[in-house]
Amino acid sequence: SIEVECRIFPSDKQLTFDFYDTLSTAIYAALDYLNKTDISISYAIRSQVPQKRGMGSSAAVSIAAIRAVFDYFEQTIDKETLGILVNQAEIIAHSNPSGLDAKTCLSDSAIKYIRNVGFETLELNLDAFLIIADTGIQGHTREAVDKVAYFEEKNLPYLSSLGDLAEDVNKHIRSKNIKQIGKSMTKAHTYLQN
């Protein structure tokens, strides 16, 4: 499994917060929620989630950081509050996040997201594995989202086709048609390259 660990330590000087940095914003959001922004702390983070690869590393790191702050002050946090605080940090990373990365990191099951509708749990009971390979190519989610929005009219046919493929995959998951899931995912990748 992939792990993210954050530890909080006492410090002689206050943290300098960079509100353009997701991790810093996550820690500040937790401190602010707990009314502890005047307490001097430092932190150490260790993450196995590759950064800038579209794998939700900023959400995973934010979750670990917020939980670490709450643990440091011996406070509990429920999933709903954690999700809200993570989304505050994600806004810094992605300007207008769907909440999908945070929700996925916080969920114990697969989920589906439909814009303007919300999240739905997916029942996955497939005799298959999804292998995620890191190409090492770095991306920038905020820039990619901004580019799609800027060229939205030009991209509408691709976005519509991707939506249709997502529905196809959902149907194939229910019927446990692994071969068709793979074909639809390959086709989606082709659209995403355009």
Side-chain angles (χ1 to χ4, degrees), residues 6-158:
C6 184
R7 296 181 59 196
I8 305 293
F9 307 98
S11 178
D12 294 337
K13 58 182 181 172
Q14 270 192 280
L15 277 175
T16 304
F17 291 103
D18 176 358
F19 290 97
Y20 295 102
D21 174 66
T22 311
L23 176 58
S24 187
T25 304
I27 290 172
Y28 183 81
L31 290 172
D32 186 51
Y33 184 87
L34 295 170
N35 294 315
K36 304 282 187 183
T37 54
D38 58 331
I39 305 292
S40 298
I41 60 168
S42 63
Y43 62 88
I45 190 104
R46 184 186 59 78
S47 175
Q48 296 174 329
V49 182
Q51 293 181 350
K52 299 182 184 203
R53 305 293 205 288
M55 295 186 189
S57 65
S58 63
V61 165
S62 294
I63 289 166
I66 292 166
R67 283 181 171 155
V69 170
F70 273 74
D71 287 349
Y72 180 78
F73 290 107
E74 298 178 351
Q75 299 294 313
T76 59
I77 185 169
D78 60 81
K79 267 191 179 179
E80 184 179 344
T81 304
L82 181 57
I84 290 167
L85 295 178
V86 170
N87 269 339
Q88 287 178 9
E90 284 287 276
I91 288 168
I92 298 302
H94 306 308
S95 69
N96 186 21
S98 64
L100 182 60
D101 287 352
K103 193 85 164 175
T104 301
C105 290
L106 290 169
S107 180
D108 294 327
S109 37
I111 56 172
K112 169 177 137 177
Y113 172 74
I114 300 174
R115 187 177 178 186
N116 298 326
V117 174
F119 297 96
E120 181 182 310
T121 301
L122 279 177
E123 181 65 37
L124 286 182
N125 188 12
L126 301 172
D127 188 26
F129 295 94
L130 174 63
I131 298 171
I132 300 171
D134 181 7
T135 63
I137 299 170
Q138 291 193 356
H140 301 281
T141 303
R142 177 182 277 201
E143 288 84 356
V145 169
D146 289 346
K147 191 174 180 181
V148 168
Y150 183 76
F151 294 108
E152 184 172 8
E153 193 171 314
K154 181 182 171 192
N155 288 324
L156 280 176
Y158 293 112

